[in-house]
Amino acid sequence: MSKPLMAKATAVWLVDNTTLSFKQIGDFCGLHELEVQGIADGDVAVGVKGYDPVASNQLDAEEIRKGEASPTYRLRLKHNPAAEGEEKRRGPRYTPLSKRQDRPNAILWLVKFHPELADAQIAKLVGTTKPTIASIRERTHWNIQNMQPIDPVALGLCRQSELDAAVQKAAKKSGTGEVMSDDERRKLVSTETSLAMSDEPRLPSSMAGLENFSLTRNEDKAPEPDLDADSFFNLPAADEDEEGENR
């Protein structure tokens, strides 16, 4: 529901000049009922001058009369044609100047490890533009040779929950509904998915040739043979000729 201009000052005026209930005033001004009660008690909005919503063409006097006659009546904000099209515009995420140099590396990471993400999703996650994403996808970016893929969560460009939500949304849209393993694309998964995975540890694909080794302790392993310490110092007997030469 839209709120009137200077909502708290409007609530002060309605408390002082009408018999509307605290709930009616709170619903109209976007305030809690207890906050309106605090205004009436003088504990909230101390020193705030009331703002007349009727004089500012935000509320009809007939609406106030209807509200005073029925405590359950909800006041309706008067339509203002000048306010049309002034809703909050959703643009790309704002990125601080100190982190803007890290955005290409984050985009490269998303493009490499999450190719299912759409350009619009990447732009929303790290606050960039579609031409920049396209140049990194096509490796035509002017600094592509010096770029390294870095997790945008580690860079502080987005939250882990936002990345997980975008990945899940892209997976559902593609029709797979499943997240690939770490060895395939090192995809991040949600908490629910990770808890459902098997507890058996897995070797990364980069550790080829170590498949026969186990990461768990083998309790049934055969005992090692006892080693005799004297066998390490059992040197061959010296020849008599060598003994004579040494003399």
Side-chain angles (χ1 to χ4, degrees):
M1 179 180 177
S2 301
K3 296 189 299 181
L5 297 175
M6 302 176 64
K8 189 165 291 188
T10 300
V12 171
W13 189 92
L14 292 173
V15 167
D16 294 339
N17 297 276
T18 68
T19 59
L20 296 170
S21 66
F22 297 151
K23 181 172 178 55
Q24 286 175 309
I25 298 175
D27 292 341
F28 178 73
C29 299
L31 305 175
H32 194 275
E33 182 179 355
L34 295 178
E35 189 173 1
V36 179
Q37 183 177 353
I39 293 175
D41 295 338
D43 299 330
V44 180
V46 179
V48 176
K49 184 178 180 180
Y51 185 68
D52 188 353
V54 178
S56 60
N57 199 28
Q58 299 184 89
L59 183 64
D60 287 332
E62 183 64 24
E63 287 289 306
I64 296 178
R65 287 192 289 269
K66 291 180 180 179
E68 291 175 336
S70 175
T72 59
Y73 183 79
R74 296 176 64 91
L75 301 178
R76 292 181 296 179
L77 185 66
K78 190 174 182 180
H79 177 66
N80 184 6
E84 291 183 356
E86 292 300 324
E87 295 84 2
K88 184 179 180 180
R89 296 180 176 87
R90 295 184 179 181
R93 179 191 300 271
Y94 173 76
T95 305
L97 292 174
S98 59
K99 296 183 179 180
R100 291 184 183 179
Q101 60 183 359
D102 297 326
R103 280 189 300 191
N105 295 329
I107 297 171
L108 181 61
W109 189 92
L110 293 171
V111 168
K112 181 177 181 180
F113 296 115
H114 295 288
E116 73 279 4
L117 290 176
D119 291 353
Q121 290 179 300
I122 298 177
K124 186 177 180 181
L125 283 172
V126 300
T128 185
T129 60
K130 291 184 179 181
T132 303
I133 301 173
S135 64
I136 295 177
R137 283 188 187 274
E138 300 169 1
R139 303 193 66 82
T140 58
H141 191 275
W142 65 273
N143 197 31
I144 191 66
Q145 299 298 330
N146 299 322
M147 289 166 52
Q148 295 180 352
I150 303 177
D151 190 342
V153 177
L155 293 174
L157 296 175
C158 67
R159 294 191 293 268
Q160 184 66 59
S161 59
E162 295 173 338
L163 178 58
D164 290 343
V167 170
Q168 291 177 0
K169 184 177 180 180
K172 291 179 180 179
K173 190 174 182 180
S174 63
T176 58
E178 298 179 355
V179 180
M180 298 179 68
S181 64
D182 293 338
D183 287 343
E184 292 170 333
R185 279 195 315 225
R186 301 191 177 202
K187 186 181 294 296
L188 296 174
V189 297
S190 63
T191 304
E192 293 80 3
T193 306
S194 62
L195 291 176
M197 290 182 176
S198 174
D199 296 335
E200 182 66 23
R202 296 173 297 174
L203 286 173
S205 58
S206 58
M207 300 176 63
L210 301 179
E211 294 82 358
N212 295 329
F213 289 88
S214 175
L215 295 178
T216 59
R217 182 179 298 176
N218 189 356
E219 301 294 342
D220 299 333
K221 185 176 179 181
E224 296 181 358
D226 296 334
L227 299 178
D228 186 7
D230 295 337
S231 62
F232 290 99
F233 302 96
N234 188 13
L235 300 178
D239 297 336
E240 294 181 357
D241 297 342
E242 294 180 356
E243 291 180 358
E245 293 178 357
N246 291 337
R247 291 176 183 177

